[in-house]
Amino acid sequence: RQQVLIVAAQRDMVDQFMQVARKAGLTIDGIDLQAFALLRSVAPPVAFVDQGAPEADGASALINIGAGISNLVVASGGSPQFTRVVNLGYEALVQALMQNRGIDRSEADLMRLTVGLSGGATAASDLEPTTVGEIHTVLDATCEGFADEIRRSIDYYHSLQHDASIARILISGEGALTRNMGDYLAGALHLPVAMGNPLQHIAENKSKLPQPELELIAPRLAIALGLAFEDEE
């Protein structure tokens, strides 16, 4: 038996991306699925001889949390086993804070990054403890729906009776930088959650950013780096 993965996309959606690229003066070399890019950049490395075989310590669920959508791909043996797009992202957290506290977007986004969700260490700030607690409450309630969608996706994957069960979650994307996001998801999903490392395949930092600064923003680069890795495989 051979596993075959079929990918389909709406022509109008693809055309929109192509028009944006052309207006930017770019030549389109190919079109790829974000889930595949995420797999190439964030999935744990697998030895060549083990490619395609179920991993002994279980599969990894890779979640890239974007603004309006999040991409989930389950990887085992270096191969995608399951993909899904969740129509929720970190922008829902920002909007919830804007509405609850009557603040502008930039201030709400800063609170997402510096105060964030409950379940982990709280950053030092000038905010009163009661205010911090209120922010946690708002963001926790908003993120509950996101965690539920991820849980349903994981349950559905397991219902398909794949050889490898999910043993860990690796998060990336701007939403992964939300303070305590990993701790919150670990508690909600009862699985270990860690930050994905899209720099794991980069041998040398040739950017203009110092290495510590590059590592700090690395989760934002997961999809872009995965697309760039395509020709390296």
Side-chain angles (χ1 to χ4, degrees), residues 87-100:
N87 291 317
L88 288 170
Y90 73 86
E91 187 63 28
L93 303 177
V94 176
Q95 293 297 322
L97 284 176
M98 290 174 62
Q99 296 174 12
N100 178 266

Side-chain angles (χ1 to χ4, degrees), residues 100-121:
N100 178 266
R101 307 201 62 78
I103 54 179
D104 62 25
R105 191 191 181 284
S106 61
E107 187 176 356
D109 197 41
L110 183 61
M111 286 183 176
R112 172 184 69 85
L113 294 169
T114 57
V115 179
L117 299 149
S118 64

Side-chain angles (χ1 to χ4, degrees), residues 10-31:
Q10 293 181 343
R11 184 181 298 275
D12 291 344
M13 180 183 69
V14 175
D15 287 344
Q16 288 177 6
F17 283 116
M18 294 177 68
Q19 289 173 14
V20 170
R22 287 168 180 154
K23 287 180 180 179
L26 301 174
T27 300
I28 299 172
D29 186 55
I31 298 174

Side-chain angles (χ1 to χ4, degrees), residues 183-199:
D183 291 327
Y184 178 88
L185 291 178
L189 303 174
H190 306 292
L191 283 169
V193 178
M195 193 74 76
N197 178 24
L199 301 180

